[in-house]
Every structure is written in C-alpha cells, then in structure tokens.
C-alpha cells in the first residue's frame, strides 16, 4: 500500500500520487496497479506540468506510463493507445529498441530509457 503523506496532486479528473520511492519500471507499474491506479501518464501540457511538480519536489527522474511498441521508435501509452501528446527532450527518443521505457527529466521533458533502472514512482488514479 502506498503511504501518501501529502504527496498528492489533482489535475483535471486525475489524481497523481508518489510514495517517493524509486523502482524499476515493472515494479513501479505493479505498485501503482496494486493501489488501483497506473503509472502517471501525461495526456497534455497541464498533466505534464502536474507530474513535473512531483518530479521537482523529489528532484528525481520518474517513469511515465509510456512504452515502446513492437515498432522500434514508436511509443504508446501502456494501455496500447497511440500517444496524442509528447514532450521529448531534444534528439529523443534515440534508444532504437534498446530503451523501451520513458522517464521525465526535472525540466519536464521526456527521454527513452532502459526499463531496469530505478526511477521515481508516480501513480495516477
């Protein structure tokens, strides 16, 4: 269970929450789903900025609910839907199939990254 001690933000009809813990992508997703949500997934600038607020609060890069699909370089939401909003860092994504997960930098931009690294867990409900 995520202990949430005040790390909650509302944006639109979503609630974002972080337990401040870092985990690999699979574990982060599992803990969010175990709490009844999923990994934070920005669908627009407002949501991206709300997630960024938590990233800045902890000063840690965080995984987003976005993964590379079957096609190299083509990213999708973890529910399989195509991305309708992106905020890639300059020259990203550049992993070409080796970096299948997406992290948010502390400036709000995105980078494709290996899924085994430990990143901040931010869930949305």
């Amino acid at each position: 269970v995520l202990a949430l001690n005040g790390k909650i933000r509302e944006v639109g009809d979503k609630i974002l929450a972080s337990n401040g813990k870092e985990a690999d992508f699979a574990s982060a997703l599992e803990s969010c789903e175990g709490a009844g949500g999923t990994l934070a997934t920005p669908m627009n600038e407002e949501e991206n900025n709300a997630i960024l607020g938590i990233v800045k609060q902890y000063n840690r890069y965080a995984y987003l609910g976005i993964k590379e699909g079957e096609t190299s370089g083509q990213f999708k939401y973890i529910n399989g839907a195509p991305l309708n909003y992106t905020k890639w860092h300059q020259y990203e994504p550049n992993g070409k199939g080796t970096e299948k997960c997406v992290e948010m930098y502390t400036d709000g931009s995105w980078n494709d990254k290996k899924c085994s690294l430990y990143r901040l867990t931010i869930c949305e409900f």
Side-chain angles (χ1 to χ4, degrees):
V1 178
L2 293 176
L4 294 171
N5 50 26
K7 309 294 194 244
I8 297 176
R9 284 163 194 260
E10 276 187 74
V11 56
D13 56 2
K14 289 183 181 179
I15 293 174
L16 300 171
S18 178
N19 58 5
K21 294 199 167 60
E22 297 192 357
D24 62 38
F25 183 86
S27 303
L29 179 59
E30 202 174 288
S31 65
C32 288
E33 289 180 341
T38 189
L39 273 173
T41 308
M43 302 285 201
N44 54 47
E45 190 74 17
E46 185 188 13
E47 292 181 8
N48 203 74
N49 287 337
I51 295 165
L52 174 60
I54 297 175
V55 166
K56 282 184 164 167
Q57 189 175 359
Y58 287 102
N59 198 26
R60 301 260 188 285
Y61 295 173
Y63 278 127
L64 297 176
I66 299 168
K67 271 194 103 166
E68 194 168 35
E70 304 304 302
T71 313
S72 177
Q74 190 178 45
F75 286 79
K76 299 176 173 175
Y77 295 119
I78 40 183
N79 65 9
L83 294 182
N84 59 6
Y85 165 83
T86 60
K87 192 159 183 143
W88 294 110
H89 196 74
Q90 192 174 9
Y91 310 122
E92 301 294 345
N94 63 7
K96 300 183 182 60
T98 62
E99 299 179 329
K100 295 192 169 297
C101 291
V102 179
E103 65 182 0
M104 180 184 283
Y105 285 154
T106 48
D107 67 356
S109 65
W110 306 355
N111 172 42
D112 54 337
K113 207 68 186 164
K114 288 186 166 37
C115 302
S116 58
L117 296 168
Y118 277 54
R119 292 293 179 261
L120 181 64
T121 302
I122 302 176
C123 306
E124 70 174 40
F125 302 92

